[in-house]
């Protein structure tokens, strides 16, 4: 490995560690100047809950999406590759998964109805991951869901992106299109016979400074794919870009993103952009992954967190309980963010039963307590671990979180809220509660029935000032 290539590896490890992306700092966020984009960012902050989906041929293996193709990332991504020792053979087998991907039980309308009925406000779908397989009817490559080698290509629902986007819009949900800027299938990015030989990594197999004509082919390829999505698939509310190492300043990996985003905005002027981990004018939304920031952030942000243990489908996965999901949502919202809750569909085209159960349980909770979630903004003291606070107009919402059902539930409860309050009510009812102020906050006297039996997921209060 040459000295400059070793430096590149070190750079990329700073962007992504074991497949999990870092996230940009609040102070580095660039506020858009366009009034329409500012309006759309306020809209985004109102939504709170997105339905994220990682889906592609890799779902057949129950393996992490794409990453095992990168030899530099093999130490963490290939634990489940136990059927072959030759990694070149593994790559051939992985890239051939399109030849057996046939999700004939694909349920776009069922997915959209399930999401809409259970409180999700937008779809965030993987149109293309790093492996380069396209889930739409692109003309740029035969490596696509409608390609002749993919058995699903003749199915009426073969253009998966079109069917999904249309189904979710019909139920009133917005659409965010995930798109990987890296593409490990196209020879314009992983070109054979280059300096790296067969030992691949997440970056290009060549130095774009040494092969500018090849890099330009990749830029044109990427722009054409993005514009297909922006012109042929209806209204797109957000272009959500992954692979933060593909960027200006990373040894020639400038895909001239601003050029294609501004071109798209001439057609869809409301389009938000999430150029994750890159910063600058095209990272309108900051995207923590599998984590929640330690402190509130007063910028548009969205935590991407899995409903199970993996972004892609895993056989016999373990899905989070309603208590876990509610507590994650409350911490995210109390700190000013949205939650993009991810599920990986099965290879046959259905959602796993565990994910459906989890979505319905979260939805049932939101039907009662959603008024303290949607359309709210951050409010001191934000999130304390035991308490989460949100605010909407003149009402502050206070949620007491119980981590386990056998947690002690004692009264009166002291709400650690410093503001002036005239009235306190239960969320989900108009019943006023007796309370008094003290140095620790607001001491609320609630009915004895609330302190008997198992601990609820939360106790929720309206604080009316």
């Amino acid at each position: 490995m040459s000295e400059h290539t070793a430096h590149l590896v070190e750079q990329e490890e700073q962007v992504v560690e074991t497949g999990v992306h870092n996230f940009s700092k609040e102070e580095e966020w660039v506020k858009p100047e366009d009034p329409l984009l500012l309006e759309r960012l306020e809209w985004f902050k109102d939504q709170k809950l997105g339905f994220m989906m990682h889906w592609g041929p890799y779902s057949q293996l129950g393996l992490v999406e794409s990453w095992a193709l990168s030899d530099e990332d093999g130490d963490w991504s290939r634990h489940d590759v136990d059927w072959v020792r030759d990694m070149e053979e593994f790559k051939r087998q992985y890239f051939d998964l399109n030849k057996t991907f046939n999700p004939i039980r694909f349920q776009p309308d069922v997915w959209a109805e399930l999401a809409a009925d259970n409180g999700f406000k937008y779809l965030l779908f993987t149109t293309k991951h790093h492996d380069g397989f396209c889930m739409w009817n692109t003309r740029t490559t035969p490596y696509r869901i409608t390609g002749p080698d993919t058995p699903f290509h003749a199915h009426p629902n073969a253009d998966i992106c079109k069917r999904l986007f249309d189904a979710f819009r019909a139920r009133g949900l917005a659409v965010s299109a995930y798109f990987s800027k890296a593409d490990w299938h196209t020879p314009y990015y992983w070109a054979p016979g280059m300096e790296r030989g067969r030992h691949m990594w997440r970056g290009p197999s060549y130095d774009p400074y040494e092969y500018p004509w090849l890099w330009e082919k990749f830029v044109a390829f990427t722009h054409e794919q993005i514009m297909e999505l922006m012109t042929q698939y209806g209204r797109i509310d957000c272009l959500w870009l992954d692979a933060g190492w593909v960027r200006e300043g990373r040894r020639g990996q400038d895909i001239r993103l601003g050029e294609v985003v501004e071109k798209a905005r001439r057609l869809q002027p409301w389009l938000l952009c999430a150029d994750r981990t890159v910063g600058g004018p095209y990272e309108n939304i900051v995207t923590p992954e599998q984590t929640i920031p330690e402190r509130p952030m007063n910028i548009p942000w969205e935590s991407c967190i899995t409903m199970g243990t993996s972004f892609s489908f895993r056989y016999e996965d373990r899905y989070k309980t309603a208590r876990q999901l509610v507590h994650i949502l409350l911490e995210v919202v109390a700190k000013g963010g949205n939650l993009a809750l991810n599920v990986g569909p099965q290879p046959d085209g259905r959602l796993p039963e565990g994910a459906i159960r989890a979505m319905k349980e979260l939805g049932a909770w939101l039907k009662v307590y959603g008024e303290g979630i949607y359309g709210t903004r951050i409010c001191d003291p934000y999130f304390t671990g035991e308490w989460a606070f949100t605010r909407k107009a003149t009402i502050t919402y206070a949620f007491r979180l119980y981590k386990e059902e056998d947690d002690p539930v004692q009264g009166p409860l002291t709400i650690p809220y410093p503001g002036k309050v005239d009235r306190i009510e239960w969320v989900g009812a108009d019943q006023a509660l007796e309370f008094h102020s003290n140095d620790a906050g607001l001491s609320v006297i609630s009915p004895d029935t609330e302190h008997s039996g198992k601990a609820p997921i939360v106790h929720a209060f309206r604080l009316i000032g």
Side-chain angles (χ1 to χ4, degrees):
M1 183 185 298
S2 70
E3 182 178 345
H4 81 264
T5 301
H7 176 65
L8 279 176
V9 171
E10 182 181 357
Q11 279 189 321
E12 305 323 326
E13 288 175 348
Q14 296 170 4
V15 175
V16 184
E17 185 176 351
T18 63
V20 176
H21 292 66
N22 298 317
F23 62 94
S24 300
K25 298 177 180 178
E26 178 180 6
E27 58 269 24
E28 297 173 350
W29 183 73
V30 177
K31 184 178 181 179
E33 297 180 357
D34 186 338
L36 178 56
L37 295 181
L38 293 174
E39 178 185 318
R40 294 304 294 167
L41 286 172
E42 289 302 309
W43 164 85
F44 174 80
K45 289 161 71 174
D46 286 342
Q47 306 309 300
K48 304 305 182 189
L49 184 60
F51 187 41
M52 188 177 196
M53 308 183 87
H54 278 67
W55 197 34
Y58 48 81
S59 65
Q60 298 170 93
L61 297 179
L63 189 72
V64 63
E65 65 288 343
S66 299
W67 284 101
L69 290 168
S70 168
D71 297 294
E72 289 290 340
D73 294 281
D75 57 340
W76 63 267
S77 65
R78 292 175 176 172
H79 298 312
D80 295 330
V81 182
D82 53 5
W83 64 90
V84 62
R85 292 182 180 272
D86 181 349
M87 285 300 108
E88 291 308 304
E89 176 60 23
F90 165 75
K91 292 174 192 175
R92 285 189 289 271
Q93 291 178 357
Y94 183 107
F95 282 129
D96 280 349
L97 286 170
N98 67 308
K99 297 176 181 178
T100 52
F101 187 45
N102 194 21
I104 57 175
R105 302 180 79 178
F106 174 41
Q107 299 174 313
D109 297 312
V110 172
W111 295 0
E113 182 176 3
L114 185 67
D117 289 351
N118 289 289
F120 293 81
K121 299 301 181 183
Y122 58 96
L123 170 71
L124 172 49
F125 184 70
T126 47
T127 67
K128 181 184 77 168
H129 207 262
H130 313 326
D131 61 14
F133 186 80
C134 298
M135 298 288 277
W136 79 96
N137 186 30
T138 180
R139 64 183 181 186
T140 61
T141 174
Y143 199 57
R144 62 183 190 266
I145 191 66
T146 56
D149 288 343
T150 304
F152 195 61
H153 80 273
H155 195 279
N157 290 337
D159 193 340
I160 283 176
C161 283
K162 179 174 177 53
R163 288 291 291 114
L164 264 186
F165 293 174
D166 287 349
F168 274 75
R169 287 195 208 96
R171 291 305 304 265
L173 278 72
V175 172
S176 184
Y178 170 111
F179 180 89
S180 172
K181 295 180 292 182
D183 188 314
W184 297 341
H185 185 268
T186 179
Y188 303 146
Y189 196 78
W190 273 7
M194 291 296 183
E195 176 188 357
R196 294 200 62 86
R198 292 185 175 184
H199 190 81
M200 291 303 182
W201 68 320
R202 63 189 65 155
S205 65
Y206 59 93
D207 186 339
Y209 288 139
E210 294 183 15
Y211 299 90
W213 58 270
L214 185 54
W215 183 255
E216 280 304 307
K217 285 182 176 291
F218 178 67
V219 172
F221 171 84
T222 304
H223 283 207
E224 185 173 358
Q225 287 195 335
I226 290 174
M227 289 308 297
E228 283 180 341
L229 291 168
M230 295 299 109
T231 58
Q232 299 173 27
Y233 288 82
R235 179 182 175 117
I236 307 294
D237 294 278
C238 180
L239 175 60
W240 204 96
L241 298 159
D242 205 352
W245 60 89
V246 182
R247 58 177 292 186
E248 183 180 5
R250 294 280 182 182
R251 288 294 299 179
Q253 290 194 74
D254 181 8
I255 60 167
R256 301 195 300 277
L257 180 65
E259 179 183 314
V260 70
V261 171
E262 294 307 326
K263 185 177 179 181
R265 282 176 174 165
R266 287 197 287 272
L267 302 169
Q268 304 207 42
W270 52 79
L271 181 70
L272 298 175
C273 187
D275 191 14
R276 58 190 321 223
T277 76
V278 172
Y282 298 103
E283 192 176 11
N284 305 143
I285 299 164
V286 171
T287 57
E289 181 176 329
Q290 293 289 53
T291 190
I292 303 171
E294 290 185 10
R295 292 177 294 276
M297 293 200 297
N298 198 20
I299 60 173
W301 63 274
E302 172 187 67
S303 269
C304 315
I305 295 179
T306 54
M307 199 176 300
T309 63
S310 170
F311 281 102
S312 55
F313 172 73
R314 291 189 67 177
Y315 293 93
E316 300 179 352
D317 203 355
R318 301 181 306 278
Y319 294 92
K320 294 177 176 65
T321 65
R323 189 179 299 269
Q324 290 173 312
L325 293 175
V326 168
H327 289 190
I328 290 169
L329 176 62
L330 282 169
E331 182 175 357
V332 167
V333 172
K335 291 179 177 179
N338 287 9
L339 173 61
L341 194 57
N342 181 90
V343 60
Q346 296 176 173
D348 68 352
R350 295 175 298 162
L351 293 183
E353 289 186 4
I356 293 172
R357 171 197 54 77
M359 292 174 69
K360 288 182 175 179
E361 290 176 353
L362 177 60
W365 186 90
L366 283 165
K367 285 178 173 67
V368 179
Y369 300 103
E371 65 174 88
I373 302 296
Y374 304 113
T376 61
R377 294 295 184 269
I378 56 175
C379 173
D380 185 38
Y382 314 109
F383 184 79
T384 69
E386 287 189 345
W387 289 89
F389 294 87
T390 64
R391 187 168 180 82
K392 185 188 299 180
T394 60
I395 299 176
T396 296
Y397 294 91
F399 297 88
R400 170 60 164 93
L401 285 64
Y402 298 94
K403 293 183 179 179
E404 305 289 343
E405 65 177 22
D406 57 357
D407 280 359
V409 183
Q410 300 173 343
L413 287 172
T414 297
I415 305 174
Y417 179 70
K420 181 180 180 298
V421 171
D422 298 323
R423 177 182 172 93
I424 298 181
E425 299 174 348
W426 286 116
V427 174
D430 294 328
Q431 178 186 357
L433 299 173
E434 182 181 345
F435 73 97
H436 65 269
S437 301
N438 55 40
D439 291 341
L442 305 168
S443 181
V444 179
I445 301 173
S446 52
D448 291 340
T449 54
E450 293 296 325
H451 306 292
S452 60
K454 296 178 179 179
I457 293 175
V458 300
H459 275 132
F461 304 91
R462 295 189 198 93
L463 312 182
I464 303 171

